[in-house]
Each structure stands twice: as structure tokens, then as C-alpha cells.
Amino acid sequence: MAETMQFDLVSPERRLASTKVRAVQIPGADGDMTAMPDHAPTITTLRPGVLRAEGPDGEAEYVVTGGFAEIGAEGVTVLAERSLPRGDVTAEDVKAMVEEAKAAYEQAKETYVNEPGPVDDAAKLLADMVAMGQHIGLYNN
């Protein structure tokens, strides 16, 4: 078993990480998962949460709001809708993300009357965004 694997984290704005790691904890839409070297090939969607990369030089945390993670023989590649280093996230950032999710939920309720699927998806996104903010201690509502 290899000791490290390649980890790449990319958002539309920039590449946030490209390094060797021992493990990556991923906030998957179907549950959290940890990818380590020689992990079975997997693709998963992300939910809002904290992604942790554990490497030889320590741990790095990133707030992600969605996207995809691909785990393969070469390592883990995360394509995030939005991602910021955890240390750079402010209460104002989290509040703005929650407000965007609230607006999307309200729009879904208006647009998809009697169609619970899209409304439920928007409600889950809002709940996940609030939970992420509370988890990192920057949202108390």
C-alpha cells in the first residue's frame, strides 16, 4: 500500500491544492467518506461541508459548497462549485452562502408547485449549508 497519493482541489476561480496526502475526508452527498491510497475507484457528488486533507506536512481544511470528487488509482481530484481554505472563511461568507440557498429554496417553491423533488433538493441544500456554517462555528441562527 502506498503511503501517499495525489490530491487536487479545483474551483472555478482557481486551483486550491495540488499535493501529496495520506487521506482526504470528503463531505459526500450520500455521506462522509475518507479516501486513502489504493482506494477503490469512486465518483461522488459533494454536499456543503468541510473537506480535510491529511498530508505529511499536516492537515488542511477547505469549505466546499458542492461539486464532485473522483477517487482513482492516481489519487483524489475534487472539482468544487465553490471552495475556500477554512481559515479564510468569515461569518459574512457563510451568511451569504446561506442567503443564496434560502433564495434558491424560495424560488424552487414558487417554480415547482406540486413537484416536491426540486423543492426537497433545495431544502436539503439549505439545511446542509446551515449545518456546515454551524459546524465551523460561523453561523448561529
Side-chain angles (χ1 to χ4, degrees):
M1 180 173 177
E3 286 187 26
T4 63
M5 63 184 173
Q6 182 63 33
F7 167 62
D8 292 296
L9 172 59
V10 180
S11 71
E13 298 85 28
R14 63 186 169 141
R15 178 183 303 267
L16 281 98
S18 182
T19 188
K20 296 290 185 183
V21 298
R22 287 189 289 269
V24 179
Q25 295 175 357
I26 301 167
D30 293 326
D32 292 350
M33 63 187 308
T34 300
M36 299 175 77
D38 297 325
H39 192 285
T42 306
I43 295 177
T44 187
T45 54
L46 303 177
R47 64 168 170 71
V50 178
L51 183 144
R52 288 180 183 83
E54 301 169 17
D57 298 327
E59 184 174 283
E61 295 184 331
Y62 304 91
V63 171
V64 296
T65 62
F68 298 90
E70 179 182 12
I71 304 165
E74 301 301 316
V76 176
T77 300
V78 176
L79 305 172
E81 291 174 2
R82 185 183 316 168
S83 182
L84 295 165
R86 166 61 186 94
D88 292 353
V89 178
T90 66
E92 291 78 26
D93 292 330
V94 174
K95 183 178 179 184
M97 290 181 218
V98 170
E99 291 303 318
E100 286 176 28
K102 280 182 185 176
Y105 173 61
E106 293 303 323
Q107 180 65 40
K109 287 194 312 187
E110 290 177 18
T111 303
Y112 299 101
V113 177
N114 295 324
E115 295 181 52
V119 176
D120 291 346
D121 291 345
K124 181 172 181 344
L125 175 65
L126 174 57
D128 286 344
M129 201 68 73
V130 168
M132 180 268 302
Q134 291 171 338
H135 174 74
I136 63 174
L138 294 176
Y139 190 79
N140 299 317
N141 205 5

